[in-house]
Amino acid sequence: MIRTLLFAGLLASAAPVFAETHRVGPGPDAQQKLQEALILAKSGDVVELAAGRYVLDDGLSLDVDGVVLRGAGADKSVLDFTHQKSAGEGLLVTSDNVTLRDFAVENPKGDGIKSKDADNIVYHAIRVEWTGGPKETNGAYGIYPVESDGVLIDGCIVSGASDAGIYVGQSNHITVRRSIAKTNVAGIEIENSRNALVSENIATHNTGGILVFDLPSLPVMGGGNVIVEKNVVKDNDTANFAPKGNIVASVRRGTGILIMANDQVLIENNAITGNATAGVMVVSYVNSFDDKRYNPYPRHVTVGGNAFEDNGTDPQIDGAPMLLKAFGGKLPPVLWDGLGDKASALYVAAGIQGWSLNLPAQGKGLADAKPAPLDVATPPAPFDRDGIGAPAALEQRIG
Amino acid sequence: MRWHAALLMVAGASAAGTMVASATPPGSVDQAVILADAMPPTLSAFGFFANAPEQVPGKGVTAYRLNSPLWSDGAEKLRFVYIPPGKQAHADGGGLLDLPVGSALIKTFAFRKDGKRKLIETRVLLHRASGWAAFPYIWNAGQTEAKLAIAGGHADVTTPAGVDIDYRIPNKNQCKECHGLSGKVTPIGPKARNLPRGWLEQMVAAGHLDRVPQGADILPMWENRAEVPARLAARAYLDANCAHCHQPNATASNSGLDLRWEQDDPEKYGVMKHPVAAGRGSGDLLYDIVPGDPDHSIIVHRMASSEPGVAMPELGKASVDGDGVAEVRKWIAEMPK
């Protein structure tokens, strides 16, 4: 019994007694040395990447709980996957309580860093970049935690992803904060996830800035309880370069914040400017589906006070000239497709203008749209923030 | 540097193991090496083979084949199972044989060079008290010994199809990417439905297996695929080549694609299913499988690619399995539109 208690104490301790630091440097055998370090590390250990460029030809992976992988800085320790020959991502993490910080991943063939079933993970000051700019041949996701409970992404920068720069999927208790997503198809995407806080980020020059949605037929469903606040969502003006087949290939250039098929979402105190299609778009799932668990409509989406400017000036929507004319040269900042419960799908704070497509049915396209100014209720009650965001304990690993 | 200390301890332990092994006849499995919580630095420490370079199994080690195997760049595969004396595997319907603690699965990968078989690597799966552990061993140039390579490696080989490739030997973590289920390492291959009936009967007769499961499905022999419906051959192929990741609780669970033999919901095995996280792997196509239209099926597109980020499987292939692609194409082409 005493021994059990001692072990419990050790496990709970942030800095295990026997933690060690293993230093790895660049060089011709970096692939093997680094991968060995990631395999042999014990829980609590730090694997430290010296400054330099690590030319790697295979993906890396980490499957040990409680390891810190730390570089000398996001511009100093660079994992270069330009000549990668195998694996679906640059770095794959499949263990819990891992901290990734202060290094870069460049030009992975598939995803940048994927963490799957990796609870309580911290990404801090990580850069993932496809250095050739936006291209369809770039990998899909930059930072890609999936099926995880407890995700903190802080101070990261991702550019060039042909799907989403920062993509959190099928996860719970998430914070994406103080990060920059630029020139991706989707800047930041929260998909089939719950209790996510997206705050103080900059999403710029993507096709769409910040996307929150739920898709059918996935193992984890029922996305919701999401706060998108204090972000700068500016000039998302890159032509969509996602390969078809992916849901983000349908995102229209100039989408600021997109909420699709989600429950309880707050959009507040953001600066949303220069998004040519819409500042905020609240819509139902666009395709047909066959999944009885799935609710394709937006529910209880609140657009609070935000600073809107110069959105909707060149909407990538059929009939744009007519729409622009009808609304006086630019569209109001909030767009709803008109689907879902009329009384509770969308609430918009007083003084914010919007318009509705007034679509008659889900999954049937825009052909029967009857555009009109938005007429929805103001928020009925303060948004319930309880339980939203990454566990507070993850903060201690940053600094 | 604790690692160095740890490695020395491993080396020390193995020296002791070798000494014990040398006291027993060659080709007798050293049960202690299988069970110990260590990473034996050489394949010979286990004593799986009476003649390792010739791949002659030792006492208690039985060779086997799979009806429809996993394709790995066309490598010749030599598969063996070891079940400790006095213990028995249990058949659980058509599923994985339940192998007792102390068992081992051994698989050697070889390619031909100048008409001669060249052993590249041997992977072992050890059933320890704490669960299954997977280790890769790489053969030396002289073909006399295979050494532990936890970080994997690579070898220049020419496939039977005549393609020169940089063959990848997976690292210890990559072993788990395919062999992981609910976070634990598990065998993939020896499912009763994918083992020859005659072999199962022999294992029962030898006392290594409790029974031949009755009423379970039997996967077709891959080499006889022309004689069975493409539906069966293709689903057997997908079960053996894809389903270890593409099933609930495995590496590709988040895709929602379930390619196990027993999955009978067409959308779950890809029919008119949108991709989830395919990225550029989608190849501008909209669905995993479009009935009657293999050219517009993402599954075919990804199988037919050898480019990382597009190619499926992600691991264990540097070239394309033309036969596998042809069979899956045939199956999709025959599906009613």
Side-chain angles (χ1 to χ4, degrees):
Chain A
M1 178 54 92
I2 290 169
R3 178 179 289 182
T4 308
L5 286 172
L6 276 173
F7 271 114
L10 278 175
L11 288 171
S13 153
V17 182
F18 303 112
E20 284 199 28
T21 297
H22 310 288
R23 294 186 177 81
V24 180
D29 56 355
Q31 178 84 46
Q32 187 181 350
K33 286 277 160 53
L34 180 47
Q35 185 58 65
E36 267 178 18
L38 294 174
I39 288 171
L40 293 173
K42 301 280 184 250
S43 187
D45 286 359
V46 177
V47 175
E48 202 170 273
L49 300 163
R53 181 165 289 269
Y54 297 70
V55 178
L56 304 168
D57 66 357
D58 194 2
L60 298 166
S61 55
L62 172 61
D63 189 40
V64 183
D65 290 347
V67 169
V68 177
L69 176 59
R70 179 176 197 154
D75 289 315
K76 295 198 170 75
S77 301
V78 179
L79 306 180
D80 180 350
F81 291 96
T82 306
H83 303 289
Q84 185 177 2
K85 288 181 184 166
S86 78
E89 56 281 307
L91 170 63
L92 175 66
V93 178
T94 48
S95 46
D96 297 337
N97 297 305
V98 165
T99 303
L100 307 173
R101 57 179 300 173
D102 306 301
F103 64 89
V105 166
E106 288 185 2
N107 301 325
K109 299 293 184 195
D111 303 313
I113 307 176
K114 178 177 179 180
S115 50
K116 179 167 185 287
D117 193 11
D119 295 344
N120 296 321
I121 189 163
V122 173
Y123 291 84
H124 172 65
I126 295 286
R127 175 172 62 91
V128 178
E129 183 173 359
W130 283 270
T131 57
K135 278 187 199 164
E136 183 175 322
T137 51
N138 291 349
Y141 304 124
I143 290 177
Y144 177 15
V146 64
E147 290 187 350
S148 300
D149 192 341
V151 175
L152 173 58
I153 297 169
D154 175 272
C156 296
I157 177 162
V158 182
S159 63
S162 69
D163 197 301
I166 297 172
Y167 169 98
V168 184
Q170 302 178 53
S171 292
N172 202 343
H173 302 112
I174 302 143
T175 296
V176 180
R177 189 179 63 190
R178 296 174 201 157
S179 294
I180 298 173
K182 60 178 184 181
T183 61
N184 308 285
V185 175
I188 298 168
E189 184 177 326
I190 307 292
E191 181 179 293
N192 291 54
S193 291
R194 293 195 68 76
N195 299 310
L197 173 64
V198 180
S199 175
E200 300 159 78
N201 303 285
I202 298 174
T204 188
H205 299 305
N206 306 287
T207 305
I210 298 174
L211 279 51
V212 178
F213 56 73
D214 213 27
L215 297 178
S217 304
L218 292 190
V220 178
M221 309 271 296
N225 280 17
V226 179
I227 296 173
V228 180
E229 65 177 4
K230 305 177 196 164
N231 301 283
V232 173
V233 183
K234 183 175 189 299
D235 298 337
N236 287 291
D237 53 7
T238 297
N240 195 317
F241 61 102
K244 289 191 201 92
N246 298 285
I247 186 77
V248 301
S250 61
V251 172
R252 290 153 200 256
R253 175 172 64 79
T255 300
I257 296 173
L258 170 69
I259 312 298
M260 184 176 81
N262 234 256
D263 186 25
Q264 299 282 358
V265 182
L266 173 66
I267 302 163
E268 193 169 54
N269 294 328
N270 301 285
I272 305 170
T273 67
N275 301 291
T277 293
V280 172
M281 200 185 281
V282 179
V283 298
S284 57
Y285 181 57
V286 290
N287 298 318
S288 59
F289 64 95
D290 178 22
D291 182 343
K292 290 185 177 59
R293 304 169 300 162
Y294 184 59
N295 187 331
Y297 301 110
R299 289 95 71 197
H300 313 288
V301 175
T302 297
V303 179
N306 291 279
F308 290 107
E309 198 172 287
D310 289 332
N311 300 291
T313 52
D314 181 19
Q316 303 299 298
I317 301 173
D318 287 348
M322 234 158 48
L323 286 166
L324 286 170
K325 199 171 167 199
F327 284 104
K330 72 175 182 186
L331 301 179
V334 178
L335 162 59
W336 179 33
D337 67 0
L339 293 168
D341 187 291
K342 302 288 178 226
S344 62
L346 175 62
Y347 313 115
V348 175
I352 295 179
Q353 305 299 309
W355 66 293
S356 172
L357 289 165
N358 285 314
L359 294 180
Q362 184 272 331
K364 304 289 185 205
L366 305 185
D368 295 319
K370 295 187 178 63
L374 192 63
D375 178 19
V376 295
T378 54
F383 192 85
D384 182 3
R385 292 169 169 264
D386 199 31
I388 294 181
L394 300 193
E395 301 284 344
Q396 292 165 11
R397 294 195 232 151
I398 296 177
Chain B
M1 289 297 285
R2 189 192 57 221
W3 284 359
H4 288 180
L7 285 172
L8 283 172
M9 280 165 59
V10 170
S14 91
T18 310
M19 277 157 58
V20 171
S22 67
T24 59
S28 288
V29 175
D30 191 335
Q31 183 73 37
V33 177
I34 293 178
L35 290 170
D37 187 20
M39 297 190 275
T42 61
L43 181 63
S44 59
F46 295 100
F48 289 136
F49 296 101
N51 180 341
E54 294 299 328
Q55 293 286 291
V56 178
K59 206 171 140 192
V61 179
T62 310
Y64 70 97
R65 67 156 286 175
L66 297 175
N67 297 353
S68 285
L70 169 68
W71 185 86
S72 308
D73 286 320
E76 180 185 352
K77 297 186 174 185
L78 301 119
R79 298 178 177 82
F80 306 92
V81 58
Y82 169 76
I83 294 165
K87 291 197 176 179
Q88 228 179 22
H90 301 285
D92 178 15
L96 270 177
L97 299 183
D98 178 13
L99 299 167
V101 169
S103 297
L105 291 162
I106 306 111
K107 181 155 92 164
T108 297
F109 293 64
F111 287 89
R112 298 262 154 193
K113 194 179 179 188
D114 305 326
K116 270 183 68 179
R117 184 169 74 192
K118 190 174 173 224
L119 310 179
I120 303 295
E121 55 158 334
T122 296
R123 305 177 188 172
V124 302
L125 269 176
L126 312 172
H127 198 179
R128 293 175 162 170
S130 55
W132 287 91
F135 300 111
Y137 290 83
I138 299 181
W139 285 88
N140 61 11
Q143 302 275 283
T144 54
E145 177 62 287
K147 287 193 175 151
L148 178 66
I150 56 162
H154 56 101
D156 292 327
V157 305
T158 304
T159 70
V163 185
D164 293 324
I165 58 165
D166 184 13
Y167 175 83
R168 314 299 296 195
I169 295 144
N171 65 52
K172 186 171 175 289
N173 288 350
Q174 289 169 329
C175 294
K176 191 175 168 187
E177 283 181 45
C178 292
H179 283 274
L181 193 63
S182 302
K184 293 191 171 71
V185 172
T186 176
I188 299 170
K191 294 170 183 158
R193 64 171 175 252
N194 202 14
L195 288 160
R197 196 45 54 125
W199 185 87
L200 290 169
E201 285 163 2
Q202 286 168 27
M203 288 295 277
V204 171
H208 293 319
L209 179 65
D210 61 346
R211 63 199 147 103
V212 176
Q214 300 303 315
D217 290 348
I218 302 175
L219 302 196
M221 294 286 176
W222 181 240
E223 64 272 26
N224 298 339
R225 61 190 176 280
E227 294 151 31
V228 300
R231 172 178 57 86
L232 297 181
R235 287 297 304 275
Y237 182 89
L238 296 174
D239 188 59
N241 283 272
C242 315
H244 41 270
C245 288
H246 281 290
Q247 66 167 294
N249 302 313
T251 292
S253 60
N254 58 300
S255 68
L257 183 65
D258 183 357
L259 293 172
R260 290 174 301 170
W261 172 262
E262 59 266 46
Q263 178 54 258
D264 53 15
D265 177 345
E267 196 192 358
K268 287 213 167 66
Y269 62 71
V271 176
M272 297 309 281
K273 178 188 174 304
H274 291 285
V276 172
R280 70 199 185 95
S282 73
D284 280 347
L285 305 174
L286 301 180
Y287 301 102
D288 291 354
I289 292 174
V290 180
D293 193 353
D295 288 336
H296 287 91
S297 298
I298 293 171
I299 198 168
V300 172
H301 169 71
R302 302 194 78 170
M303 285 174 66
S305 171
S306 58
E307 189 185 346
V310 177
M312 283 285 159
E314 288 184 344
L315 295 177
K317 83 169 232 187
S319 59
V320 172
D321 180 10
D323 292 341
V325 173
E327 198 61 31
V328 170
R329 287 187 69 94
K330 194 172 162 203
W331 169 54
I332 294 174
E334 286 175 3
M335 282 182 190
K337 288 190 189 185

